């Protein structure tokens, strides 16, 4: 497709279970980002990938959160032992990377709404 | 540290009125980028505009215009002759820093704009 896609669109899980969220970036975009949107915290940065490496993981809230990216394309965000405070919409974005590193706008996917019961 | 403040939580106007959304940012970096995104009820963030810190020219795109003033650290967004389809949550965001990971976006809390017919 032409845009960023994410799956699943909705995920309901029980406290303590692990979940995996998937992101397919726009073809050719080398940079990929995960954000979280919740009522109390607004839009928060989680992690940034350039290719398959993650130079900035500063936004991951705890060691229960991890992410990987393979083949410079698809990324998976994993939350282990989910807690109720993990309930949020998880957004993925991608962008081109140019020599001028700060220029590029990020294109966002529709998000995965995670509900932890 | 970077920070974006959107002091207006909610704005409600009647169709055809002009409306301005305020955005104030904080950063110590001399090179930075500012963005506006629109989040309609469908939930997907839509990119509207990007400006860099070296270009203070105002920009107009149809009914949308942006006023960037470094002296007041503001990047305000005006919709002229508003329409019901403009109803959405609007986010101002900042990207700054001197390392590659600085591409992450720092978002304001958003302004919910409602245009009434």
């Amino acid at each position: 497709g032409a845009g960023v896609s994410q799956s699943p669109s909705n995920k309901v899980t029980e406290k303590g279970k692990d979940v995996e969220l998937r992101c397919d970036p726009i073809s050719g975009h080398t940079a990929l980002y995960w954000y979280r949107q919740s009522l109390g915290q607004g839009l928060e940065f989680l992690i940034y990938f350039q290719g398959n490496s993650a130079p900035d993981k500063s936004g991951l809230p705890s060691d229960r959160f991890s992410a990987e990216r393979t083949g410079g394309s698809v990324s998976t965000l994993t939350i282990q032992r989910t807690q109720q405070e993990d309930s949020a919409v998880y957004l993925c974005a991608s962008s081109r990377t140019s020599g001028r590193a700060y220029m590029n706008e990020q294109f966002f996917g529709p998000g995965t709404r995670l509900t932890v019961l | 540290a970077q920070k974006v403040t959107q002091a207006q939580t909610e704005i409600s106007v009647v169709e055809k009125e002009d409306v301005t959304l305020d955005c104030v940012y904080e950063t110590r970096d001399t090179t930075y980028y500012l963005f506006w995104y629109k989040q309609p009820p469908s939930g997907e963030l839509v990119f509207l505009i990007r400006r860099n810190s070296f270009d203070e020219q105002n920009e107009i795109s149809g009914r949308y215009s942006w006023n960037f003033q470094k002296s007041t650290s503001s990047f305000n967004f005006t919709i002229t002759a508003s329409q019901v389809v403009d109803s959405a949550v609007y986010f101002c965001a900042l990207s700054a820093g001197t390392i590659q990971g600085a591409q992450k976006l720092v978002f304001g809390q958003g302004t919910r704009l409602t245009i009434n017919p």
Side-chain angles (χ1 to χ4, degrees):
Chain A
V4 177
S5 60
Q6 293 185 245
S7 61
S9 54
N10 280 284
K11 177 71 177 179
V12 179
T13 191
E14 293 179 350
K15 178 181 173 180
K17 303 276 189 175
D18 298 351
V19 295
E20 284 189 353
L21 312 180
R22 176 189 168 105
C23 172
D24 277 281
I26 293 172
S27 178
H29 281 190
T30 56
L32 185 147
Y33 312 77
W34 284 97
Y35 294 86
R36 178 168 72 172
Q37 185 172 22
S38 57
L39 279 176
Q41 301 299 322
L43 269 159
E44 305 172 278
F45 167 79
L46 297 178
I47 187 170
Y48 156 58
F49 286 93
Q50 180 58 46
N52 291 333
S53 65
D56 191 351
K57 306 179 184 179
S58 62
L60 294 177
S62 76
D63 58 8
R64 296 185 296 105
F65 287 73
S66 62
E68 65 176 11
R69 189 179 186 194
T70 55
S73 181
V74 171
S75 176
T76 302
L77 177 68
T78 301
I79 309 173
Q80 296 179 307
R81 305 181 302 282
T82 52
Q83 303 294 312
Q84 288 183 332
E85 61 262 29
D86 300 335
S87 296
V89 176
Y90 289 82
L91 295 166
C92 176
S94 70
S95 71
R96 290 193 188 92
T97 302
S98 69
R100 297 176 64 186
Y102 311 122
M103 284 185 65
N104 302 295
E105 64 268 32
Q106 297 175 22
F107 295 89
F108 282 79
T112 294
R113 181 175 297 276
L114 175 66
T115 303
V116 182
L117 302 177
Chain B
Q2 290 104 37
K3 184 178 179 182
V4 176
T5 301
Q6 293 179 256
Q8 304 149 310
T9 306
E10 295 191 32
I11 300 176
S12 180
V13 300
V14 177
E15 199 172 21
K16 298 184 183 176
E17 285 186 19
D18 298 348
V19 58
T20 296
L21 310 181
D22 298 333
C23 172
V24 173
Y25 62 92
E26 295 176 31
T27 179
R28 293 184 178 181
D29 294 284
T30 55
T31 300
Y32 53 90
Y33 283 79
L34 296 162
F35 302 79
W36 276 95
Y37 281 85
K38 174 182 181 180
Q39 189 174 41
S42 61
E44 196 158 335
L45 281 163
V46 177
F47 166 77
L48 295 178
I49 190 171
R50 175 195 61 228
R51 300 307 301 273
N52 72 56
S53 51
F54 300 109
D55 183 1
E56 284 192 75
Q57 276 194 336
N58 292 333
E59 184 156 340
I60 298 174
S61 176
R63 295 183 298 105
Y64 296 172
S65 62
W66 290 269
N67 182 281
F68 175 29
Q69 291 193 340
K70 289 177 74 171
S71 61
T72 55
S73 298
S74 65
F75 186 43
N76 297 337
F77 172 31
T78 297
I79 302 174
T80 303
S82 59
Q83 300 177 1
V84 173
V85 293
D86 295 328
S87 296
V89 180
Y90 290 86
F91 291 94
C92 181
L94 167 70
S95 178
T98 57
I99 60 174
Q100 195 171 15
Q103 288 200 48
K104 67 183 180 187
L105 293 174
V106 174
F107 285 90
Q109 289 298 308
T111 297
R112 181 177 299 278
L113 177 63
T114 302
I115 311 297
N116 299 298

